[in-house]
Amino acid sequence: MSEGGLTGPMHGGEGVRGTAGSRNPWDSELYDESFGIITRLGAGVLELLAPRPGERILDLGCGTGHLTARIAAAGARVVGIDAAEAMIARARELYPQLRFEVAKGEDFAVEAPMDAVFSSAALHWMSPPEAVAACVLLALKPGGRFVAEMGGKGNVATIIEAVHRALEEEGIPRRQVDSPWYFPSIGEYAPLLERAGFEVAFMHLFDRPTPLDDCPNGAADWVRMFGGNFLTAVPPGRHSRVLERVNDLTRPVLYREGRWVADYRRLRFVAVRPETSGEARARVRASSEGKQQ
């Protein structure tokens, strides 16, 4: 890969182009060891994707590649992309037989259209969301599907509020710290996809309380892994105090019967790139001719 973007063929001759991703300091091994539940919870949306043998599929925001590997196991020709170089390095180490590239979800292109774009627990990190939707639409062939799950409106609201209160106690006002996430409602995200050119076939916002059994320090561990953006305004020597305060504030709500449970809310959807009338007629004609032979 060149410094400026993605080059070279994928399986079956497909390829991806895009600007280089971020060098954000993800600890990919810690992510795998302590937050494997993210992969496990991705199984539901993977069932919604229902990959078929021979399909060309892009895993957008693939992380360390575990769900990418499951898509490949179904017989699909898959490539995973992620903006975090550490995640892609780990994915290549774990699954050297698969194709992984560094690219941003808001700035990528494929050399051959995909049957599907899949994403799990990643879209809420990508901004602006309009650019992501535009890239995904262009990556799909007519009739191709965009199947994803992301954080939805109200996701981890208890944790976010606790972080802001802990920061305010340190003299850091809310306006000084931007959230790194985009958690939309159905009423916000469905129209966004439609404006991009998609037809929304299915969308569901639901609560999914998520045990943090791999987080011995509870909400503090979660914030340390995913909410580092909030801590950038805090001197390093005060990080531990802020995180301890987050635990104090969230414990009455999130610590239940001896375990921490995060207040996740997820937005799951299927959207389709529609065929034009001409494309639909051509497909029907080709199918009819094939039956006559």
Side-chain angles (χ1 to χ4, degrees):
M1 186 187 75
S2 66
E3 182 64 21
L6 302 175
T7 59
M10 297 192 308
H11 298 296
E14 306 91 350
V16 181
R17 304 184 303 277
T19 57
S22 66
R23 292 178 172 82
N24 48 358
W26 281 98
D27 186 330
S28 57
E29 293 191 20
L30 176 64
Y31 177 91
D32 268 351
E33 293 171 2
S34 300
F35 295 91
I37 192 169
I38 294 172
T39 298
R40 295 194 294 274
L41 293 177
V45 70
L46 190 59
E47 292 176 2
L48 193 62
L49 173 68
R52 297 184 289 273
E55 284 194 313
R56 296 187 301 274
I57 297 177
L58 180 74
D59 185 357
L60 176 59
C62 63
T64 51
H66 298 307
L67 293 178
T68 320
R70 294 189 188 182
I71 294 170
R77 295 179 290 175
V78 62
V79 63
I81 66 173
D82 200 287
E85 293 183 2
M87 292 293 192
I88 291 299
R90 179 67 170 164
R92 289 170 175 168
E93 177 185 340
L94 292 172
Y95 304 105
Q97 77 279 15
L98 300 180
R99 180 72 183 271
F100 297 98
E101 298 292 354
V102 178
K104 297 179 180 179
E106 64 272 22
D107 186 18
F108 75 93
V110 298
E111 294 174 1
M114 298 285 175
D115 294 287
V117 173
F118 170 81
S119 187
S120 177
L123 291 174
H124 48 258
W125 291 99
M126 303 176 194
S127 181
E130 295 84 0
V132 177
C135 285
V136 173
L137 185 81
L138 292 175
L140 288 168
K141 69 179 186 180
R145 62 201 189 278
F146 182 19
V147 181
E149 184 176 297
M150 63 190 295
K153 184 176 177 63
N155 190 54
V156 292
T158 302
I159 295 176
I160 292 173
E161 177 61 23
V163 171
H164 279 302
R165 284 186 57 188
L167 292 177
E168 286 173 340
E169 292 172 5
E170 295 291 321
I172 302 170
R174 294 175 186 241
R175 65 178 181 275
Q176 191 174 326
V177 182
D178 294 327
S179 171
W181 306 300
Y182 168 65
F183 296 144
S185 65
I186 291 176
E188 181 180 358
Y189 202 65
L192 184 150
L193 291 176
E194 290 174 344
R195 288 192 297 270
F198 283 100
E199 292 182 351
V200 179
F202 167 82
M203 188 169 285
H204 179 42
L205 177 67
F206 58 98
D207 293 323
R208 188 172 64 200
T210 301
L212 300 180
D213 293 340
D214 296 325
C215 299
N217 295 309
D221 277 352
W222 191 95
V223 173
R224 188 179 290 110
M225 182 70 193
F226 296 109
N229 184 71
F230 290 106
L231 299 176
T232 56
V234 182
R238 289 154 58 187
H239 283 190
S240 294
R241 183 165 65 183
V242 169
L243 292 171
E244 288 173 6
R245 184 60 177 145
V246 169
N247 271 357
D248 290 341
L249 292 168
T250 57
R251 184 174 282 106
V253 178
L254 301 184
Y255 192 71
R256 311 172 186 174
E257 300 179 351
R259 71 193 313 198
W260 287 90
V261 180
D263 54 332
Y264 275 30
R265 300 193 84 208
R266 312 313 274 177
L267 187 68
R268 183 179 291 183
F269 65 88
V270 176
V272 178
R273 176 177 178 174
E275 296 178 314
T276 66
S277 57
E279 289 165 339
R281 286 195 298 270
R283 180 171 55 81
V284 171
R285 183 166 57 249
S287 175
S288 177
E289 290 172 353
K291 291 178 181 179
Q292 293 174 2
Q293 292 177 357

